[in-house]
Amino acid sequence: DGILSGALSFQTENKQIITGTGEADISISEGRIILSNPILIFNSIEFDDISIKCVMEKEKLRLIHFRLKGQDMTGTLSGEIDLRSDILKSAIDISGAIELSPGFFKNRKDSSDFIRHFKQLIKNGTLSFVLTGNIGEPRFRFL
């Protein structure tokens, strides 16, 4: 969900998406991401703005810049996806960090034991993570 704006360019000579080249510089505002597989207490992520810059070349999609700004959190991502003919088997190597706002934990309906455990994952105000595996079976892990 959201309002999309920006620019996208892409070209390929043999009609195979993974061998094409291109870049995108886009933003999405006033949106919401619904997670198909909830991560801890996140079923969805509401945001004010997402800005994304990525480049595709040599069967790789490189995420150069990804920044999410919202009332509850801000976050960044970077890394790449090694593209395969079967897109679901494309390998993911992405790292990220989330900074939660001070008000994030106020009025949460989650159990206090879970919130206490969640707060222990935060180091210097940041929750760092990696996303690996492939698009069909991604693996998410906090650092």
Side-chain angles (χ1 to χ4, degrees), residues 53-109:
K53 182 166 178 79
C54 58
V55 174
M56 186 169 148
E57 60 188 354
K58 298 181 182 174
E59 299 182 9
K60 288 189 187 295
L61 177 64
R62 287 189 342 227
L63 187 56
I64 295 168
H65 168 85
F66 179 103
R67 180 154 178 91
L68 176 142
K69 294 180 190 175
Q71 290 182 352
D72 287 336
M73 70 180 72
T74 60
T76 59
L77 294 173
S78 63
E80 62 185 34
I81 300 173
D82 286 324
L83 300 170
R84 305 284 189 264
S85 296
D86 180 349
I87 293 296
L88 294 178
K89 293 185 179 180
S90 297
I92 304 169
D93 184 14
I94 295 176
S95 59
I98 299 171
E99 291 182 37
L100 299 171
S101 70
F104 176 80
F105 292 103
K106 289 183 182 177
N107 302 319
R108 298 290 310 180
K109 293 181 174 68

